[in-house]
Amino acid sequence: MLIWNRDIDSSEYERARFLPRPGHADYTAFMKYGGFNDFRGGGRFSGRITAPLVMAGALAKKLLNLVDIEVLAHTIAIGGIKAQPKGLDEIRQVDRNPLKCADTEAAEEMLKVIERAKKEGDSVGGIIEGTALKVPAGLGEPVFGTLEGELAKALFAIPAVKGVEFGSGFSAANKKGSENNDSFIIKNNKIATATNNAGGILGGISNGMPIVVRVAVKPTSSIAKSQETVNMESMESASLTIKGRHDTCIVPRAVPAVEAMIAVTLCDFAMRAGLIPRVIK
Ligand SMILES: Cc1cc2nc3c(=O)[nH]c(=O)nc-3n(C[C@H](O)[C@H](O)[C@H](O)COP(=O)(O)O)c2cc1C
């Protein structure tokens, strides 16, 4: 698969070649590659890198379809506004909404917050939730290849992702065991749990419940507001105002990438477990 991109404008990047953008990877890439980093658009640190991730995800989703596993992702917060999606039907239709949010009322508020930040030359972040349905119990390769670990690794490959939590996640730290434990029950002659605070994973192995993972996306670092930086060539202080073509909020664009990385990771585990054949005729 190949994506041709002729809509290129690197002029802004030429201007600020030696001025690392605060919050972006310009400085670390410059140090890592000894000045040979691709400054024209951020190179591999650009959000563009998510396009091939989504391509791989499309293939993985087709393979997961063979074993009925469904992967969904949607926006659950932007700029502090939280969504309250009603159900799976709304989540399955998020592509209809420009913010990929399954709560249309919250999406309207989110849009206002984004527009306000844009006017101020600023940016906002948010949270994406990913869900995988009908994942059978038993996927995951402890100790170092846990399902949580591999999913987190794949999700952290998405630029601007700064946090990953499963199930009750960080809120589990403030709960009692009696509140956080998911009681086992028999449902349709199968073992299930009454709640899903574990986010579908126990001991790094899927437990048959939906896998629920949330991803924190930081606010876009390239903002129009004047910021302090340094000139890496002259070693002097400098100020930077970024023009370029940057989104005020990355979250909606990252939703398909989250879906893709979950699909690729689950596809890998399903193949390792022999659920999906390695050769399909
Ligand atoms: C889909 C997508 C689009 C992005 N677009 C931009 C952008 O327009 N401007 C920007 O400064 N960062 C953008 N980013 C984020 C940067 O690529 C990212 O912050 C940078 O590589 C530093 O990595 P880190 O934030 O993971 O530490 C985007 C990220 C994604 C996932």
mmCIF file of all heavy atoms in Angstrom, residues 134-164:
data_model
loop_
_atom_site.group_PDB
_atom_site.id
_atom_site.type_symbol
_atom_site.label_atom_id
_atom_site.label_comp_id
_atom_site.label_asym_id
_atom_site.label_seq_id
_atom_site.Cartn_x
_atom_site.Cartn_y
_atom_site.Cartn_z
ATOM 1 N N LYS A 134 -15.860 -9.403 21.696
ATOM 2 C CA LYS A 134 -15.781 -10.841 21.361
ATOM 3 C C LYS A 134 -14.342 -11.355 21.288
ATOM 4 O O LYS A 134 -14.029 -12.222 20.462
ATOM 5 C CB LYS A 134 -16.521 -11.128 20.045
ATOM 6 C CG LYS A 134 -18.024 -10.870 20.167
ATOM 7 C CD LYS A 134 -18.776 -11.568 19.079
ATOM 8 C CE LYS A 134 -20.248 -11.247 19.163
ATOM 9 N NZ LYS A 134 -20.954 -11.424 17.944
ATOM 10 N N VAL A 135 -13.488 -10.795 22.123
ATOM 11 C CA VAL A 135 -12.118 -11.323 22.217
ATOM 12 C C VAL A 135 -12.181 -12.539 23.145
ATOM 13 O O VAL A 135 -12.637 -12.418 24.285
ATOM 14 C CB VAL A 135 -11.152 -10.261 22.802
ATOM 15 C CG1 VAL A 135 -9.746 -10.834 22.945
ATOM 16 C CG2 VAL A 135 -11.157 -9.003 21.941
ATOM 17 N N PRO A 136 -11.772 -13.705 22.680
ATOM 18 C CA PRO A 136 -11.889 -14.882 23.545
ATOM 19 C C PRO A 136 -10.910 -14.818 24.726
ATOM 20 O O PRO A 136 -9.888 -14.137 24.642
ATOM 21 C CB PRO A 136 -11.524 -16.045 22.608
ATOM 22 C CG PRO A 136 -10.731 -15.431 21.516
ATOM 23 C CD PRO A 136 -11.191 -14.012 21.382
ATOM 24 N N ALA A 137 -11.236 -15.514 25.805
ATOM 25 C CA ALA A 137 -10.321 -15.578 26.952
ATOM 26 C C ALA A 137 -9.061 -16.332 26.537
ATOM 27 O O ALA A 137 -9.127 -17.274 25.741
ATOM 28 C CB ALA A 137 -11.015 -16.278 28.115
ATOM 29 N N GLY A 138 -7.919 -15.880 27.044
ATOM 30 C CA GLY A 138 -6.679 -16.636 26.837
ATOM 31 C C GLY A 138 -5.638 -15.961 25.955
ATOM 32 O O GLY A 138 -4.560 -16.511 25.760
ATOM 33 N N LEU A 139 -5.912 -14.755 25.419
ATOM 34 C CA LEU A 139 -4.901 -14.084 24.592
ATOM 35 C C LEU A 139 -3.963 -13.255 25.469
ATOM 36 O O LEU A 139 -4.405 -12.535 26.345
ATOM 37 C CB LEU A 139 -5.546 -13.171 23.535
ATOM 38 C CG LEU A 139 -6.434 -13.813 22.466
ATOM 39 C CD1 LEU A 139 -6.786 -12.778 21.402
ATOM 40 C CD2 LEU A 139 -5.755 -15.008 21.824
ATOM 41 N N GLY A 140 -2.675 -13.341 25.182
ATOM 42 C CA GLY A 140 -1.667 -12.620 25.976
ATOM 43 C C GLY A 140 -0.528 -13.561 26.295
ATOM 44 O O GLY A 140 -0.764 -14.765 26.463
ATOM 45 N N GLU A 141 0.703 -13.041 26.345
ATOM 46 C CA GLU A 141 1.873 -13.899 26.548
ATOM 47 C C GLU A 141 2.718 -13.384 27.708
ATOM 48 O O GLU A 141 3.772 -12.766 27.510
ATOM 49 C CB GLU A 141 2.727 -13.943 25.260
ATOM 50 C CG GLU A 141 2.026 -14.480 24.023
ATOM 51 C CD GLU A 141 1.644 -15.960 24.129
ATOM 52 O OE1 GLU A 141 2.327 -16.697 24.880
ATOM 53 O OE2 GLU A 141 0.671 -16.365 23.484
ATOM 54 N N PRO A 142 2.238 -13.622 28.964
ATOM 55 C CA PRO A 142 3.052 -13.190 30.097
ATOM 56 C C PRO A 142 4.404 -13.934 30.087
ATOM 57 O O PRO A 142 4.472 -15.041 29.550
ATOM 58 C CB PRO A 142 2.226 -13.609 31.306
ATOM 59 C CG PRO A 142 0.848 -13.834 30.772
ATOM 60 C CD PRO A 142 1.008 -14.275 29.372
ATOM 61 N N VAL A 143 5.512 -13.415 30.608
ATOM 62 C CA VAL A 143 5.552 -12.264 31.484
ATOM 63 C C VAL A 143 5.766 -10.957 30.688
ATOM 64 O O VAL A 143 5.183 -9.916 31.011
ATOM 65 C CB VAL A 143 6.705 -12.441 32.496
ATOM 66 C CG1 VAL A 143 6.916 -11.187 33.364
ATOM 67 C CG2 VAL A 143 6.433 -13.638 33.388
ATOM 68 N N PHE A 144 6.573 -11.016 29.637
ATOM 69 C CA PHE A 144 6.956 -9.764 28.979
ATOM 70 C C PHE A 144 6.119 -9.433 27.751
ATOM 71 O O PHE A 144 6.323 -8.403 27.129
ATOM 72 C CB PHE A 144 8.457 -9.783 28.657
ATOM 73 C CG PHE A 144 9.307 -9.868 29.899
ATOM 74 C CD1 PHE A 144 10.002 -11.026 30.216
ATOM 75 C CD2 PHE A 144 9.353 -8.797 30.775
ATOM 76 C CE1 PHE A 144 10.753 -11.106 31.375
ATOM 77 C CE2 PHE A 144 10.097 -8.871 31.953
ATOM 78 C CZ PHE A 144 10.800 -10.031 32.254
ATOM 79 N N GLY A 145 5.209 -10.306 27.402
ATOM 80 C CA GLY A 145 4.345 -10.025 26.257
ATOM 81 C C GLY A 145 2.882 -9.979 26.681
ATOM 82 O O GLY A 145 2.011 -10.546 26.012
ATOM 83 N N THR A 146 2.634 -9.320 27.803
ATOM 84 C CA THR A 146 1.243 -9.267 28.280
ATOM 85 C C THR A 146 0.376 -8.519 27.270
ATOM 86 O O THR A 146 0.863 -7.681 26.514
ATOM 87 C CB THR A 146 1.136 -8.533 29.635
ATOM 88 O OG1 THR A 146 1.565 -7.186 29.449
ATOM 89 C CG2 THR A 146 1.963 -9.204 30.714
ATOM 90 N N LEU A 147 -0.913 -8.824 27.300
ATOM 91 C CA LEU A 147 -1.834 -8.157 26.373
ATOM 92 C C LEU A 147 -1.861 -6.645 26.643
ATOM 93 O O LEU A 147 -1.822 -5.835 25.712
ATOM 94 C CB LEU A 147 -3.232 -8.775 26.527
ATOM 95 C CG LEU A 147 -4.292 -8.342 25.530
ATOM 96 C CD1 LEU A 147 -3.809 -8.451 24.097
ATOM 97 C CD2 LEU A 147 -5.560 -9.172 25.715
ATOM 98 N N GLU A 148 -1.872 -6.281 27.938
ATOM 99 C CA GLU A 148 -1.836 -4.843 28.276
ATOM 100 C C GLU A 148 -0.544 -4.199 27.783
ATOM 101 O O GLU A 148 -0.552 -3.111 27.206
ATOM 102 C CB GLU A 148 -1.879 -4.635 29.793
ATOM 103 C CG GLU A 148 -3.217 -4.773 30.430
ATOM 104 C CD GLU A 148 -3.073 -5.317 31.838
ATOM 105 O OE1 GLU A 148 -2.223 -6.205 32.045
ATOM 106 O OE2 GLU A 148 -3.808 -4.858 32.720
ATOM 107 N N GLY A 149 0.567 -4.883 28.040
ATOM 108 C CA GLY A 149 1.880 -4.335 27.685
ATOM 109 C C GLY A 149 2.010 -4.107 26.189
ATOM 110 O O GLY A 149 2.469 -3.052 25.744
ATOM 111 N N GLU A 150 1.585 -5.095 25.400
ATOM 112 C CA GLU A 150 1.730 -4.986 23.936
ATOM 113 C C GLU A 150 0.760 -3.950 23.372
ATOM 114 O O GLU A 150 1.088 -3.239 22.435
ATOM 115 C CB GLU A 150 1.505 -6.346 23.273
ATOM 116 C CG GLU A 150 2.548 -7.391 23.651
ATOM 117 C CD GLU A 150 3.972 -6.997 23.263
ATOM 118 O OE1 GLU A 150 4.192 -6.620 22.103
ATOM 119 O OE2 GLU A 150 4.853 -7.056 24.133
ATOM 120 N N LEU A 151 -0.450 -3.886 23.948
ATOM 121 C CA LEU A 151 -1.402 -2.859 23.486
ATOM 122 C C LEU A 151 -0.863 -1.467 23.803
ATOM 123 O O LEU A 151 -0.896 -0.566 22.967
ATOM 124 C CB LEU A 151 -2.775 -3.057 24.148
ATOM 125 C CG LEU A 151 -3.672 -4.131 23.541
ATOM 126 C CD1 LEU A 151 -4.856 -4.421 24.464
ATOM 127 C CD2 LEU A 151 -4.190 -3.718 22.163
ATOM 128 N N ALA A 152 -0.346 -1.307 25.019
ATOM 129 C CA ALA A 152 0.176 0.007 25.419
ATOM 130 C C ALA A 152 1.343 0.398 24.514
ATOM 131 O O ALA A 152 1.435 1.541 24.062
ATOM 132 C CB ALA A 152 0.612 -0.024 26.877
ATOM 133 N N LYS A 153 2.214 -0.562 24.226
ATOM 134 C CA LYS A 153 3.367 -0.289 23.363
ATOM 135 C C LYS A 153 2.905 0.195 21.984
ATOM 136 O O LYS A 153 3.427 1.162 21.442
ATOM 137 C CB LYS A 153 4.187 -1.578 23.229
ATOM 138 C CG LYS A 153 5.461 -1.424 22.462
ATOM 139 C CD LYS A 153 6.191 -2.754 22.479
ATOM 140 C CE LYS A 153 7.321 -2.772 21.493
ATOM 141 N NZ LYS A 153 7.960 -4.090 21.450
ATOM 142 N N ALA A 154 1.912 -0.488 21.442
ATOM 143 C CA ALA A 154 1.397 -0.111 20.120
ATOM 144 C C ALA A 154 0.720 1.263 20.178
ATOM 145 O O ALA A 154 0.884 2.088 19.273
ATOM 146 C CB ALA A 154 0.408 -1.170 19.630
ATOM 147 N N LEU A 155 -0.019 1.508 21.254
ATOM 148 C CA LEU A 155 -0.738 2.791 21.350
ATOM 149 C C LEU A 155 0.232 3.954 21.570
ATOM 150 O O LEU A 155 0.009 5.051 21.080
ATOM 151 C CB LEU A 155 -1.788 2.724 22.466
ATOM 152 C CG LEU A 155 -2.970 1.799 22.139
ATOM 153 C CD1 LEU A 155 -3.782 1.470 23.384
ATOM 154 C CD2 LEU A 155 -3.868 2.420 21.070
ATOM 155 N N PHE A 156 1.328 3.686 22.276
ATOM 156 C CA PHE A 156 2.325 4.746 22.483
ATOM 157 C C PHE A 156 3.124 5.035 21.205
ATOM 158 O O PHE A 156 3.885 6.004 21.163
ATOM 159 C CB PHE A 156 3.262 4.406 23.643
ATOM 160 C CG PHE A 156 2.707 4.791 24.994
ATOM 161 C CD1 PHE A 156 2.537 3.858 26.005
ATOM 162 C CD2 PHE A 156 2.352 6.108 25.240
ATOM 163 C CE1 PHE A 156 2.029 4.219 27.240
ATOM 164 C CE2 PHE A 156 1.829 6.482 26.477
ATOM 165 C CZ PHE A 156 1.664 5.540 27.478
ATOM 166 N N ALA A 157 2.952 4.219 20.177
ATOM 167 C CA ALA A 157 3.594 4.512 18.888
ATOM 168 C C ALA A 157 2.862 5.655 18.187
ATOM 169 O O ALA A 157 3.370 6.234 17.230
ATOM 170 C CB ALA A 157 3.610 3.265 18.006
ATOM 171 N N ILE A 158 1.660 5.956 18.650
ATOM 172 C CA ILE A 158 0.889 7.068 18.054
ATOM 173 C C ILE A 158 1.409 8.369 18.655
ATOM 174 O O ILE A 158 1.407 8.528 19.883
ATOM 175 C CB ILE A 158 -0.627 6.910 18.347
ATOM 176 C CG1 ILE A 158 -1.132 5.563 17.844
ATOM 177 C CG2 ILE A 158 -1.420 8.060 17.738
ATOM 178 C CD1 ILE A 158 -2.560 5.225 18.295
ATOM 179 N N PRO A 159 1.861 9.312 17.811
ATOM 180 C CA PRO A 159 2.366 10.562 18.359
ATOM 181 C C PRO A 159 1.289 11.289 19.168
ATOM 182 O O PRO A 159 0.106 11.201 18.841
ATOM 183 C CB PRO A 159 2.737 11.389 17.123
ATOM 184 C CG PRO A 159 2.734 10.454 15.977
ATOM 185 C CD PRO A 159 1.903 9.273 16.345
ATOM 186 N N ALA A 160 1.716 11.962 20.226
ATOM 187 C CA ALA A 160 0.860 12.759 21.111
ATOM 188 C C ALA A 160 0.112 11.930 22.156
ATOM 189 O O ALA A 160 -0.611 12.490 22.976
ATOM 190 C CB ALA A 160 -0.122 13.638 20.347
ATOM 191 N N VAL A 161 0.273 10.598 22.127
ATOM 192 C CA VAL A 161 -0.350 9.762 23.173
ATOM 193 C C VAL A 161 0.551 9.809 24.404
ATOM 194 O O VAL A 161 1.731 9.501 24.330
ATOM 195 C CB VAL A 161 -0.535 8.302 22.691
ATOM 196 C CG1 VAL A 161 -0.865 7.378 23.858
ATOM 197 C CG2 VAL A 161 -1.636 8.245 21.649
ATOM 198 N N LYS A 162 0.006 10.264 25.515
ATOM 199 C CA LYS A 162 0.807 10.431 26.730
ATOM 200 C C LYS A 162 0.310 9.596 27.903
ATOM 201 O O LYS A 162 0.907 9.633 28.987
ATOM 202 C CB LYS A 162 0.859 11.917 27.115
ATOM 203 C CG LYS A 162 1.767 12.717 26.190
ATOM 204 C CD LYS A 162 3.233 12.364 26.423
ATOM 205 C CE LYS A 162 4.124 12.822 25.295
ATOM 206 N NZ LYS A 162 5.538 12.466 25.502
ATOM 207 N N GLY A 163 -0.781 8.881 27.727
ATOM 208 C CA GLY A 163 -1.273 8.037 28.798
ATOM 209 C C GLY A 163 -2.147 6.933 28.245
ATOM 210 O O GLY A 163 -2.852 7.136 27.255
ATOM 211 N N VAL A 164 -2.049 5.740 28.862
ATOM 212 C CA VAL A 164 -2.900 4.608 28.459
ATOM 213 C C VAL A 164 -3.409 3.943 29.724
ATOM 214 O O VAL A 164 -2.631 3.688 30.647
ATOM 215 C CB VAL A 164 -2.087 3.579 27.615
ATOM 216 C CG1 VAL A 164 -2.918 2.335 27.330
ATOM 217 C CG2 VAL A 164 -1.603 4.190 26.291
#
